[in-house]
Amino acid sequence: MSAMAIKHMVVFNLHAGKDTPEAEAFLRESAEELAAIPGVEQFEVFRQVSAKTNYDYGFSMFFANQAAYDAYNVHPVHTQYVAERWVKEVSRFQEIDLTKFE
């Protein structure tokens, strides 16, 4: 499995609400911090438009393999981000990690 690419996605809501200046700053600053971590590819930020879910935003990123994903999870920038930003500013979330079906 270590050679399989991983698509990591998370959908979430913020305590600051949707489309607020605080939310916009969170999204922008999160993208800058997380996309710069080695191994993160194709980092994207999304705004939810479906009426079928009650999550407001999403992040998506790609890792070339399990080792890159594991390194991201323990990288100091990521762990600090989770402790100092994510835990405090995100009110609820769901994450999913997918590999391509072949």
Side-chain angles (χ1 to χ4, degrees):
M1 175 160 165
S2 63
M4 301 279 292
I6 296 171
K7 184 73 161 182
H8 173 67
M9 296 177 286
V10 60
V11 290
F12 57 93
N13 291 345
L14 297 170
H15 290 295
K18 188 175 183 181
D19 298 330
T20 64
E22 296 84 1
E24 299 299 322
F26 176 86
L27 298 173
R28 191 171 37 262
E29 293 162 10
S30 295
E32 290 171 7
E33 285 186 54
L34 299 176
I37 297 173
V40 173
E41 300 176 33
Q42 301 172 20
F43 189 95
E44 296 177 294
V45 178
F46 297 96
R47 178 176 280 109
Q48 179 61 252
V49 295
S50 174
K52 296 177 183 178
T53 184
N54 58 3
Y55 288 104
D56 295 330
Y57 299 108
F59 292 157
S60 175
M61 62 196 86
F62 178 83
F63 297 93
N65 53 44
Q66 186 69 46
Y69 179 64
D70 292 343
Y72 164 81
N73 276 314
V74 299
H75 192 279
V77 171
H78 179 253
T79 57
Q80 182 177 355
Y81 169 84
V82 170
E84 295 181 5
R85 298 290 311 258
W86 189 262
V87 173
K88 296 175 183 176
E89 297 182 54
V90 173
S91 60
R92 60 191 292 268
F93 72 96
Q94 176 70 52
E95 68 179 72
I96 188 165
D97 299 309
L98 303 169
T99 57
K100 191 172 181 181
F101 178 76
E102 296 180 18

